Amino acid sequence: MIGLGIVALMVIALGAYMLTLRVVVPTNEVHIVQRGNKTISYGKVVKDGEENINGNVYYKFPEWMPYLGVTFTTLPLSVFSIKLENYEAYDLDRLPFLVDIMAYFRVNDSNKAASRIQNIIELKDQITNIVKGAVRSIMANAKLEDIMSQRSTYGQQFTESVREQLKEWGVVAVKNIELMDVRDSRDSQVIANIMAKKSSEIEMQSRTEVAMNQKKASEAEIEARQAVQLKEEEAKQQVGMKQAIVAREVGIAKEKADQDIKEQAKITKEKEMEVVKVAQLRQAEINKEANIVKADEVKAVTIKNAEANKEQIELNAMAEKRQIELKAEADLAMSLKEAEGIEAKGKAEAEAKKLMELAPVNAQIELAREIGDNQGYQNYLIQLEQIKAICEVGIEQAKNLGKADIKINTMSNDVPSAINKVTDIFSPQGGLNIAGALESLASSPIGKSVIEKIVPNAKTSSKSQKELLKNLDKIDTKL
């Protein structure tokens, strides 16, 4: 029984001891455990955010225990910083100065970091040396003035310079390395002189800007005064232009009024001339009508048969009467058909119009039928036309006699009968009488000489007569 109790106590003691060896890795750390020939990482994240398949629990057996003994390295997963203060550097011209550098890193590959260092302090020392080397090398290739004016640019250069070296240590930069400050070293006044130079440049620029602003203000005032003067001149010009326009409009109105007066005078003169012209035309028409009246009087004297006119009038009256009767019949028919509608009324009007148009034709047909059956009436119409022809010939002869320069000596007191005898000269019988008279005249020496004067170079009586007749024909034609 005692032996069993001792065994139980030993088991309990061993279990308690094992519990003391149990290690749970915090969330912000990673433990790299070396057991024999194996290296195992315990923690939440091992590399680039990957979950650790080994978990975060292990037993920390003493390293003197064979096979079970372990050694381990603890590395933080949180961000850690490295700060360089009063780090002395040189620029391209070997001018000394001090800088302050601040950088932030984190472990990215815990296994690689653990293979390089034993603890975080050693890791920080290594990274600090890497940063110092990058800062010194980059600063040595730049001018101090550029470094002071472009801090952010050099911070990015620092970060790019150390990126590949940090990978070898399993570390990455959280953000760009910052160049916090640049100042003179203990026995140097370079930066102070640069600052004084910058201050003087700033003061110069400020004074220059003030002078330029004052200049612009003066120019603006001058331009404003010029603008005001220009506006005044433009206003005066506008007033002058308005006055000129008014004067021009007045002149144009006056000229237009004068032109209107002249135009009215011209129109009045033209109207007066038209009145005179109308009066002249009216007088000419009166004269023409008088001549026509005279001709009608002559025609009335020559027309013997007034009954023809009377019958013609009767025929016209009968035709008009027939037209009136037809129209009355059409009107009666139209009145009777009005009740039948607008269409019947239109037909009646068309029929009436047709009858009115055919009435003169029917009258002419009736007249032609009467004339064809009445030989006496036909002779009457023929005689009427002969009388018209004789009247027209008489009128034309009267006109020609009025133009001809003929003197009539008559021994009779009856002038009309003498005129009728003169006109007989131009008849065929009158021509034969003249020819016989000339033949008788040519039989005597005195008559022959007269005929030769009328017909030059007359050698025979027959030729003389022919030439004389030709000359008489010419005289008749002219008359």
Side-chain angles (χ1 to χ4, degrees), residues 30 32 73-83 103-132 165-173:
V30 61
I32 296 90
T73 301
T74 301
L75 296 176
L77 292 178
S78 61
V79 176
F80 61 92
S81 64
I82 293 177
K83 185 175 182 181
Y104 297 92
F105 305 96
R106 66 178 178 84
V107 176
N108 184 49
D109 190 344
S110 59
N111 292 333
K112 185 178 289 188
S115 66
R116 295 259 183 174
I117 48 93
Q118 293 182 355
N119 52 49
I120 189 61
I121 296 173
E122 186 179 354
L123 181 62
K124 287 184 178 181
D125 291 339
Q126 294 297 329
I127 294 174
T128 301
N129 292 330
I130 292 172
V131 172
K132 286 180 179 180
Q165 297 182 56
L166 293 176
K167 288 182 179 180
E168 298 298 326
W169 294 87
V171 177
V172 295

Side-chain angles (χ1 to χ4, degrees), residues 431-432 434-435 438 455 464-474:
L432 293 175
I434 292 172
L438 291 175
V455 183
S464 298
Q465 292 177 3
K466 291 180 180 180
E467 293 294 333
L468 181 61
L469 290 175
K470 289 181 180 180
N471 290 330
L472 288 176
D473 291 337
K474 292 180 180 178

